[in-house]
Amino acid sequence: MATIGLAGLHPGERTSGCSQEGMPRPSGSLELLISSQVQECLQQFKVTRTQLQQIQASLLCSMEQALKGQDSPAPSVRMLPTYVRSTPHGTERGDFLVLELGATGASLRVLWVTLTGTKERSVEPRSREFLIPQEVILGAGQQLFDFAACCLSEFLDAYPVENQGLKLGFNFSFPCHQTGLDRSTLISWTKGFRCSGVEGQDVVQLLRDAIERQGTYRIDVVAMVNDTVGTMMGCELGTRPCEIGLIVDTGTNACYMEEARHVAALDEDRGRTCVSIEWGSFYDEEALGPVLTTFDYALDHESLTPGAQRFEKMIGGLYLGELVRLVLVHLSQHGLLFGGCASPALLSQGSILLEHVAEMEDPTTGTARVLTVLRDLGLSPQASDAELVQCVCAAVCTRAAQLCAAALAAVLSRLQHSRQQQTLHMAVATGGRVFERHPRFLGILKETVMLLAPKCDISFIPSVDGGGRGVAMVTAVAARLAADRRILEETLAPFQLTLEQLAVVQAQMREAMIRGLQGEASSLRMLPTYVRATPDGSERGDFLALDLGGTNFRVLLVRVTEGSVRITNQVYSIPECIAQGSGQKLFDHIVDCIVDFQKRQGLSGQSLPLGFTFSFPCKQLGLDQGILLNWTKGFNASGCEGQDVVYLLREAIRRRQAVELNVVAIVNDTVGTMMSCGYDDPRCEMGLIVGTGTNACYMEELQNVASVPGDVGHMCINMEWGAFGDDGSLGMLSTCFDASVDQASINPGKQRFEKMISGMYLGEIVRHILLHLTNLGVLFRGQKTQCLQTRDIFKTKFLSEIESDSLALRQVRAILEDLGLTLTSDDALIVLEVCQAVSRRAAQLCGAGVAAVVEKIRENRGLQELTVSVGVDGTLYKLHPHFSRLVSATVGKLAPQCAVTFLQSEDGSGKGAALVTAVACRLTQMAHV
Ligand code: ADP
Ligand code: MG
């Protein structure tokens, strides 16, 4: 039994070698027809599943080597970047010119393609072919391009087009070295062209020059596109993304969308780029050697390029007819066909074409047609010859389709791996005469791909219009990307602050600090905290601390011993009815929690010094005296505003007579942060918070603090810097997005600096920008979703995740898809850039503030150089991947005379409050001494 076709892949399924769908034969006749000698001959074309898998693996390996730019061992495929960065959205619209040179022999084609932006309405492209005179083909290069420019003009003259900025895609089908979407150097002429002075030149530039010389139309040559890419890009948008283009024409090649960072030849590390594999040259002795037949060797030997393009020579349409011819010659020479007589036509190279093979295999025409074709070759076939010739054709073409499938499977496994998808859903755009003419090629290809890449869900979509539409599409996409980029850059430009702008912010901050300290009108309140010293490391003892104002209420026991600070804490909830009930109830509840904590810790009866971190705006009159200005963050207990918080706490202790507590200090969280870092680093003289909100404190000369008497020593000042700019001084930097965020907030016009910096707002700023870009059609294909209109849907932690590492783009997609947004890889890139712009500005503004503070400390002390540390707390600062680095870099530039170290505080509210208390106790003791 002859086993050709898919034998080895489908054991037992195909019993008769030539059986083809729709081609019924009387059973058993084949065995009679095909002698063992014939079987032996055709057996050579059989490729087993294992062999196909080896080819798949070897090609994949070669692709990966070429991507890495490895040159030894030299990979046999080239993996050329095409600079096409995006596939169509389906919304591309406009009129585009396409110029095809080299695709159709000695002629040149001009197309006018209208993209309508919808599937529903399509406009047939108009085209015209111009024959290139022989003297031009062999003449000077300039002449050829002048001829092309002339054809363009002539073509356009026939249409009432406006003479401005027509966009042109250039399909130039000769081997080129492309270095940009619109930059491509001709390596060498092929296909009979031999114009002088073009090899080694940028053909796009030559075309542009010629169009300019011609002078009639203003045509913008946007893109240079090879036919594989054109095929992929011209594919009608379906349910699966179409990111592979496959051509089997004269030769064969494929392209696909690769992650740019995997392409060593590109500097880009973001987004995707279309790579032309150039797989026709694939060769690997171990994988391909065993499937080469004597006919392949003969074909290669007689070809113009022996040794080259071995893979293509088994698949491409230029070679299928020739392989069939060589087999027929062999069989006739052995007396197995045509009564042993070959005709002169059969014996001459190239006499059997792809068209002949396709026709003879066409199930609809039957054997009569086969006999006609054979007779046209001057042969005298017998009836039985027809079937045998069909078997030869089937053997050659089946192998071609299977090899092509193995190569395609390699691309699919590459995509599946790099996208980490369980099932790869993908459409493959197919183009070329083999697909168009050969009745079974696509069927076998599909079947084999399913076997070799079982986890892929693939559809095949034939390209329309031989890629002309695709070239227009590349041009359209490039034009769209360029326009989108312009809009994106315009949108983000106000977020890109120059060093000069930041220096202005620094100077304004400095002035506002001075006015605030002097008690003049200022957006900075510069509140004295009555903390007069940072820790000196000699503090010892056990302290209690309270932390009210964060997410939880906590009671802490802080044991400060030599060399260590040990903290035990207990979290207590504050029910809403208490947070918003009477002040008395709230403070009773707090004391109950302290009593409970003391019991648990075996501290009952002891009167430990207590520090109270109270993270609400307070006007302090002493270390242990703070008037609550107003509640925030969901607290609204009655009878507290305008009252001294420590007094309220002491009253509650008095009501609960069982306990004795010694409330020493009320502490702002910035101060706690500074103090907790100050215990380990005596140079820590500034505290910074960048969490839900932002604020800072630092050690000021007492003599500069107008509201506190005394000229000697220092005092920590709570700047309340979130309110910086509330007098309008930040107006210059404020964007329309900041205005939107401010308008929608519970405190419009307030906390303007904070609203450009802190965690509560950054996500919102990003969301407003994304909405704007969507409205302009730059994002999400212009589709507005409910989701993006929802306030606070875009969390600030997303900025951290999105900006985190090199896998960012996949992460962006996952995050936004969780929000119900579907996005392309372009969208992901844009969202990333938006996040970066917003978080960068936040960090830089924060840095300008820090610079103002450290410079003031330096000048206060009359120092040339200041070495200082800043204690920092806040989840945004701590978890964002670049925030802290950017703050530090900005400070470095704006305050070059200060050496600033940033220290992240651990539990600033607990440890800090205890240390404020400890320092106060130390200072009191010293005063007593
Ligand atoms: P608070 O300032 O209320 O004391 P945090 O310092 O923990 O609390 O800051 C909380 C804020 O940090 C949240 O409002 C959120 O916006 C922001 N945030 C949370 N997680 C992240 C993250 N991974 N990256 C950046 N910001 C975050
Ligand atoms: Mg906090």
Side-chain angles (χ1 to χ4, degrees):
M1 166 116 4
T3 48
I4 324 165
L6 283 167
L9 289 171
H10 276 198
E13 209 175 298
R14 308 222 152 206
T15 46
S16 110
C18 285
S19 99
Q20 294 163 13
E21 267 173 88
M23 225 177 168
R25 300 166 183 284
S27 66
S29 66
L30 215 61
E31 285 87 331
L32 299 175
L33 287 170
I34 301 180
S35 74
S36 64
Q37 269 173 293
V38 175
Q39 275 182 41
E40 213 171 279
C41 169
L42 295 187
Q43 189 72 18
Q44 293 182 61
F45 287 91
K46 194 186 105 175
V47 188
T48 66
R49 183 178 188 156
T50 313
Q51 286 171 327
L52 290 173
Q53 284 165 338
Q54 269 162 2
I55 291 166
Q56 176 186 355
S58 166
L59 176 60
L60 179 60
C61 177
S62 192
M63 282 167 62
E64 283 167 354
Q65 285 172 349
L67 281 175
K68 286 184 194 137
Q70 181 179 319
D71 47 353
S72 116
S76 59
V77 297
R78 300 191 53 195
M79 306 302 276
L80 301 175
T82 67
Y83 300 89
V84 168
R85 297 196 288 114
S86 172
T87 49
H89 282 178
T91 53
E92 287 75 10
R93 48 191 304 164
D95 296 318
F96 298 91
L97 271 176
V98 173
L99 174 65
E100 287 178 357
L101 186 59
T104 41
S107 66
L108 168 160
R109 201 160 74 116
V110 182
L111 290 92
W112 176 270
V113 183
T114 303
L115 301 174
T116 58
T118 76
K119 235 190 240 179
E120 285 64 47
R121 207 164 53 86
S122 69
V123 177
E124 280 298 305
R126 288 176 289 195
S127 72
R128 192 169 148 194
E129 205 155 322
F130 297 85
L131 205 66
I132 311 173
Q134 197 61 21
E135 67 267 23
V136 171
I137 289 185
L138 302 174
Q142 183 163 330
Q143 212 184 338
L144 174 71
F145 287 92
D146 281 339
F147 178 78
C150 190
C151 294
L152 282 168
S153 286
E154 211 179 306
F155 176 84
L156 288 170
D157 284 344
Y159 300 110
V161 292
E162 284 186 32
N163 177 22
Q164 51 176 352
L166 292 162
K167 302 215 178 316
L168 180 135
F170 188 18
N171 180 351
F172 185 76
S173 306
F174 298 95
C176 279
H177 177 59
Q178 202 168 348
T179 52
L181 188 59
D182 60 352
R183 271 198 315 276
S184 195
T185 309
L186 175 66
I187 296 169
S188 58
W189 287 114
T190 55
K191 308 178 195 183
F193 280 74
R194 215 147 262 123
C195 303
S196 61
V198 183
E199 289 177 352
Q201 299 290 310
D202 176 2
V203 291
V204 176
Q205 197 52 49
L206 292 175
L207 179 62
R208 279 185 184 141
D209 294 346
I211 290 170
E212 190 140 317
R213 275 196 299 276
Q214 230 279 331
T216 338
Y217 290 93
R218 264 191 48 215
I219 299 170
D220 182 8
V221 186
V222 174
M224 161 103 180
V225 187
N226 87 22
D227 48 356
T228 323
V229 180
T231 297
M232 179 184 83
M233 296 291 280
C235 177
E236 285 286 353
L237 227 57
T239 48
R240 303 174 185 82
C242 178
E243 300 191 3
I244 302 178
L246 169 60
I247 296 254
V248 189
D249 197 87
T250 312
T252 180
N253 188 20
C255 68
Y256 71 103
M257 297 302 287
E258 176 61 84
E259 309 302 318
R261 74 196 136 93
H262 292 150
V263 187
L266 288 180
D267 284 337
E268 299 246 347
D269 59 352
R270 288 173 173 181
R272 291 183 180 156
T273 191
C274 179
V275 170
S276 174
I277 303 174
E278 306 290 322
W279 73 22
S281 56
F282 168 65
Y283 187 76
D284 169 34
E285 186 56 50
E286 219 169 292
L288 215 52
V291 304
L292 286 168
T293 66
T294 49
F295 306 105
D296 292 304
Y297 284 108
L299 180 142
D300 180 53
H301 188 70
E302 70 176 23
S303 72
L304 289 172
T305 52
Q309 302 293 101
R310 300 302 295 268
F311 194 54
E312 178 164 274
K313 283 173 184 163
M314 302 164 91
I315 300 174
L318 188 61
Y319 308 101
L320 295 180
E322 188 58 11
L323 281 172
V324 167
R325 187 187 70 86
L326 292 170
V327 178
L328 297 187
V329 169
H330 171 86
L331 293 176
S332 73
Q333 280 169 351
H334 286 76
L336 298 163
L337 265 178
F338 317 128
C341 292
S343 66
L346 184 66
L347 289 174
S348 53
Q349 191 185 350
S351 61
I352 298 186
L353 303 175
L354 168 68
E355 283 68 22
H356 298 131
V357 175
E359 207 175 322
M360 290 192 285
E361 279 199 74
D362 187 345
T364 58
T365 52
T367 50
R369 195 68 207 127
V370 182
L371 295 175
T372 314
V373 170
L374 295 174
R375 281 192 200 107
D376 285 351
L377 286 169
L379 298 160
S380 332
Q382 294 157 7
S384 62
D385 289 343
E387 301 223 355
L388 225 142
V389 170
Q390 281 184 323
C391 278
V392 172
C393 294
V396 169
C397 295
T398 299
R399 185 188 69 162
Q402 289 174 340
L403 291 174
C404 188
L408 180 58
V411 180
L412 292 170
S413 48
R414 165 94 199 146
L415 283 174
Q416 190 166 24
H417 179 73
S418 75
R419 311 239 165 130
Q420 297 185 341
Q421 288 178 3
Q422 271 298 316
T423 306
L424 181 77
H425 302 276
M426 185 62 63
V428 179
T430 59
R433 285 178 310 135
V434 172
F435 286 112
E436 285 158 21
R437 307 277 161 83
H438 195 276
R440 295 186 311 123
F441 193 88
L442 181 60
I444 299 165
L445 176 77
K446 280 184 188 173
E447 226 174 305
T448 315
V449 167
M450 260 158 60
L451 285 165
L452 296 175
K455 282 197 179 153
C456 296
D457 164 34
I458 305 301
S459 63
F460 290 82
I461 304 176
S463 82
V464 259
D465 184 40
R469 183 184 135 87
V471 177
M473 198 58 95
V474 172
T475 315
V477 169
R480 169 172 60 73
L481 288 178
D484 287 359
R485 177 124 297 268
R486 261 196 309 279
I487 295 176
L488 180 67
E489 275 165 14
E490 276 166 24
T491 306
L492 298 183
F495 289 86
Q496 256 97 46
L497 303 183
T498 61
L499 202 58
E500 289 72 39
Q501 284 173 303
L502 291 168
V504 170
V505 173
Q506 177 185 10
Q508 285 174 338
M509 173 80 84
R510 175 66 181 269
E511 283 167 33
M513 286 169 75
I514 292 168
R515 283 199 306 271
L517 287 170
Q518 288 171 350
E520 293 167 16
S522 170
S523 59
L524 293 179
R525 284 194 270 183
M526 306 301 283
L527 303 169
T529 65
Y530 295 88
V531 169
R532 293 167 194 269
T534 52
D536 66 2
S538 70
E539 294 77 10
R540 301 282 180 272
D542 292 354
F543 303 91
L544 278 180
L546 305 180
D547 176 15
L548 184 71
T551 320
N552 296 302
F553 170 58
R554 293 183 309 151
V555 184
L556 307 94
L557 170 64
V558 185
R559 302 201 125 116
V560 185
T561 54
E562 190 171 353
S564 86
V565 177
R566 275 178 302 134
I567 300 178
T568 317
N569 81 74
Q570 175 83 40
V571 172
Y572 295 92
S573 74
I574 297 201
E576 201 177 273
C577 62
I578 288 186
Q580 305 187 352
S582 77
Q584 191 164 326
K585 274 231 183 71
L586 171 65
F587 281 89
D588 282 345
H589 177 72
I590 289 173
V591 173
D592 286 343
C593 295
I594 300 171
V595 170
D596 175 74
F597 182 76
Q598 284 183 319
K599 276 209 194 101
R600 285 166 185 263
Q601 300 296 327
L603 298 169
S604 302
Q606 293 185 42
S607 163
L608 297 177
L610 182 144
F612 187 6
T613 298
F614 187 75
S615 305
F616 299 95
C618 276
K619 181 168 171 56
Q620 271 181 261
L621 301 171
L623 187 60
D624 61 349
Q625 216 181 343
I627 312 292
L628 174 63
L629 297 173
N630 53 280
W631 284 118
T632 56
K633 305 185 248 196
F635 277 79
N636 199 19
S638 62
C640 299
E641 291 181 357
Q643 299 287 317
D644 173 9
V645 180
V646 178
Y647 172 77
L648 294 176
L649 181 60
R650 287 194 178 129
E651 281 298 291
I653 294 167
R654 197 182 45 73
R655 283 194 293 277
R656 201 53 160 98
Q657 285 165 351
V659 282
E660 251 181 82
L661 287 173
N662 171 19
V663 185
V664 174
I666 180 162
V667 184
N668 180 273
D669 53 355
T670 51
V671 181
T673 298
M674 177 185 78
M675 296 295 274
S676 71
C677 293
Y679 184 70
D680 300 314
D681 179 355
R683 291 193 153 135
C684 183
E685 298 193 75
M686 181 175 180
L688 171 66
I689 302 261
V690 195
T692 306
T694 181
N695 191 14
C697 70
Y698 72 103
M699 297 305 288
E700 180 56 273
E701 310 299 312
L702 191 54
Q703 63 187 24
N704 293 340
V705 187
S707 59
V708 180
D711 280 342
V712 189
H714 299 101
M715 180 161 291
C716 178
I717 299 296
N718 168 14
M719 296 173 71
E720 287 295 332
W721 86 1
F724 176 55
D726 288 4
D727 55 0
S729 56
L730 284 176
M732 300 283 287
L733 300 185
S734 178
T735 66
C736 59
F737 310 107
D738 296 301
S740 305
V741 170
D742 180 51
Q743 287 304 305
S745 69
I746 52 162
N747 51 353
K750 300 262 161 64
Q751 302 291 99
R752 301 304 296 263
F753 195 53
E754 178 164 87
K755 283 172 184 164
M756 297 168 111
I757 295 177
S758 76
M760 190 157 178
Y761 307 101
L762 295 193
E764 272 297 278
I765 300 175
V766 168
R767 185 181 70 86
H768 279 284
I769 300 174
L770 299 186
L771 263 179
H772 172 77
L773 292 174
T774 309
N775 286 337
L776 294 178
V778 174
L779 263 182
F780 310 127
R781 298 178 183 162
Q783 275 157 16
K784 275 171 269 184
T785 54
Q786 194 52 47
C787 150
L788 209 54
Q789 324 240 8
T790 315
R791 222 178 112 183
D792 290 332
I793 191 114
F794 202 94
K795 306 275 178 242
T796 297
K797 75 163 195 240
F798 296 163
L799 273 79
S800 293
E801 289 167 9
I802 285 169
E803 296 180 55
S804 67
D805 54 23
S806 57
L807 294 178
L809 290 183
R810 193 177 314 132
Q811 239 153 40
V812 181
R813 222 166 304 144
I815 289 167
L816 297 182
E817 273 163 13
D818 275 353
L819 294 180
L821 295 163
T822 42
L823 70 171
T824 63
S825 60
D826 300 336
D827 289 343
L829 245 175
I830 292 173
V831 174
L832 172 62
E833 281 185 52
V834 171
C835 290
Q836 285 171 333
V838 170
S839 63
R840 190 193 308 116
R841 184 188 66 161
Q844 289 177 334
L845 287 173
C846 187
V850 174
V853 173
V854 293
E855 270 295 285
K856 181 146 194 341
I857 298 176
R858 185 183 68 80
E859 287 173 30
N860 281 343
R861 309 207 178 147
L863 295 172
Q864 245 335 301
E865 304 272 336
L866 172 75
T867 304
V868 67
S869 300
V870 181
V872 199
D873 203 353
T875 306
L876 174 57
Y877 182 92
K878 285 179 170 172
L879 294 190
H880 188 282
H882 310 301
F883 198 93
S884 55
R885 186 174 46 75
L886 282 166
V887 171
S888 168
T890 308
V891 174
K893 290 205 189 89
L894 294 177
Q897 286 162 277
C898 298
V900 184
T901 308
F902 291 85
L903 307 167
Q904 300 205 0
S905 89
E906 274 163 49
D907 202 349
S909 326
K911 182 175 160 186
L915 286 168
V916 169
T917 311
V919 170
C921 294
R922 173 166 62 79
L923 293 182
T924 319
Q925 275 160 18
M926 273 168 58
H928 286 312
V929 171

